[in-house]
Amino acid sequence: MATKYSTIIPTASRWIGAMPAAAVAAVALWLAAPAVHADEVVVTPFSSAHGAQAPQPWRFTSLPNKTPTRFEVVQEGAQKVLKVEADQSYGNLVHATRVPLNPSTTLAWRWRVDTFVEDADLRTRSGDDGAAKLCVFFDLPVERLSLGERTRLALARRTTGEQVPSEALCYVWDKKEAKGSTLVNAFTQRMRMVVLESGAAANKAAFVSERRNLLADYKRAFGDEAGDTLPDVVAVAVSADADNTQGHGLAYFSDIDLRSITTTRSAGVDSPPGRAGSAE
């Protein structure tokens, strides 16, 4: 029987951080997320789309009164990819799942940024925009959080009536932040960001390949609060926004490959770091 988990859209963390001073302005989305086995397709490929819309269970989510970011499956050469265009807009494409986090858990994809969001600054609220983000949501038990973080998260869950995920790790291709930088979201501690690529690629027409060991990245980003706890991965999301800067961004994503072997789950096994991106 499928279990339901809610997925809060990545940069909707803005209102989580602002909630002590304002009412919640976003609505989370319920998605069915059955547990999966290692030999199953965990994330539905964009290339399986029959038209321009991303195949289910991918779902668009946004905030009230925001111009929506456009997500469209298009043909690029011999394959179908996801075109993501932010134009003074906000939006996310979310795919629920549930897989264990352990040394075998990997995330792989290819991406390309054609247009960066001018004036974006990931270190400030006014500049919290980006042309390309791939986020992973984790279900960390709230007991591992500080009292202040538990209070804010409880308020978010109570206000929305949804089981808002307790952690989000976002991989970012940014124009100016140094490659390899790890940042805390300007709005909330519940989101950490890793800058995988910085600036224009050497070959602007080529996609860049990424393969990350999620456990290694998770420990670097959230190890201070998680300790030896290994929370399940409960969703992935493609995100792009340019609503704060009133800018424009354009990026492309290939199929997203998320893998995890249930039987290897262990908090005591070290895992190798994910390799850096490479142009194809």
Side-chain angles (χ1 to χ4, degrees):
M1 180 178 179
T3 304
K4 286 187 175 180
Y5 306 98
S6 79
T7 54
I8 194 66
I9 48 187
T11 27
S13 57
R14 296 172 185 173
W15 58 258
I16 297 178
M19 277 205 306
V24 173
V27 178
L29 183 67
W30 281 101
L31 298 176
V36 295
H37 301 288
D39 57 350
E40 294 179 349
V41 176
V42 177
V43 178
T44 304
F46 300 125
S47 59
S48 68
H50 296 297
Q53 185 173 351
Q56 293 185 346
W58 286 102
R59 301 200 184 180
F60 176 77
T61 63
S62 189
L63 293 169
N65 304 315
K66 293 288 186 180
T67 300
T69 292
R70 293 187 292 274
F71 296 88
E72 179 184 14
V73 177
V74 299
Q75 193 74 32
E76 277 281 311
Q79 68 171 333
K80 293 179 180 178
V81 297
L82 183 70
K83 177 183 178 181
V84 184
E85 186 169 12
D87 189 4
Q88 303 180 49
S89 62
Y90 175 90
N92 310 272
L93 202 62
V94 185
H95 189 302
T97 186
R98 181 170 280 272
V99 297
L101 178 64
N102 59 49
S104 77
T105 311
T106 58
L107 184 70
W109 73 99
R110 298 187 307 130
W111 55 352
R112 188 181 87 207
V113 175
D114 287 6
T115 306
F116 291 96
V117 179
E118 292 294 334
D119 301 323
D121 184 352
L122 296 178
R123 298 178 184 271
T124 67
R125 293 190 176 193
S126 61
D128 184 34
D129 287 339
K133 302 174 187 175
L134 179 57
C135 299
V136 183
F137 299 156
F138 300 95
D139 187 22
L140 180 74
V142 295
E143 293 78 16
R144 300 293 308 186
L145 304 180
S146 67
L147 177 60
E149 291 297 309
R150 291 202 305 270
T151 300
R152 282 187 286 272
L153 186 60
L155 180 57
R157 291 174 172 177
R158 185 167 61 251
T159 305
T160 63
E162 307 291 347
Q163 189 66 16
V164 177
S166 49
E167 293 175 328
L169 175 62
C170 293
Y171 297 106
V172 180
W173 191 333
D174 190 62
K175 183 179 181 180
K176 66 178 183 179
E177 290 293 340
K179 186 173 181 176
S181 299
T182 300
L183 308 173
V184 177
N185 182 266
F187 287 88
T188 174
Q189 290 281 334
R190 306 275 39 82
M191 180 187 292
R192 314 288 168 90
M193 298 173 288
V194 178
V195 180
L196 290 190
E197 307 295 338
S198 180
N203 183 350
K204 294 183 179 180
F207 280 76
V208 173
S209 295
E210 312 286 357
R211 182 175 299 276
R212 307 301 302 180
N213 182 286
L214 280 183
L215 178 57
D217 287 345
Y218 177 83
K219 285 185 174 180
R220 281 193 290 267
F222 289 106
D224 56 336
E225 65 183 22
D228 291 333
T229 302
L230 301 184
D232 286 344
V233 175
V234 292
V236 296
V238 176
S239 175
D241 53 336
D243 56 320
N244 287 323
T245 59
Q246 297 299 294
H248 176 261
L250 177 62
Y252 296 84
F253 286 79
S254 73
D255 294 341
I256 296 168
D257 185 34
L258 174 63
R259 297 173 184 261
S260 183
I261 301 174
T262 304
T263 56
T264 64
R265 184 178 186 124
S266 171
V269 180
D270 291 332
S271 55
R275 68 173 177 82
S278 59
E280 291 189 343

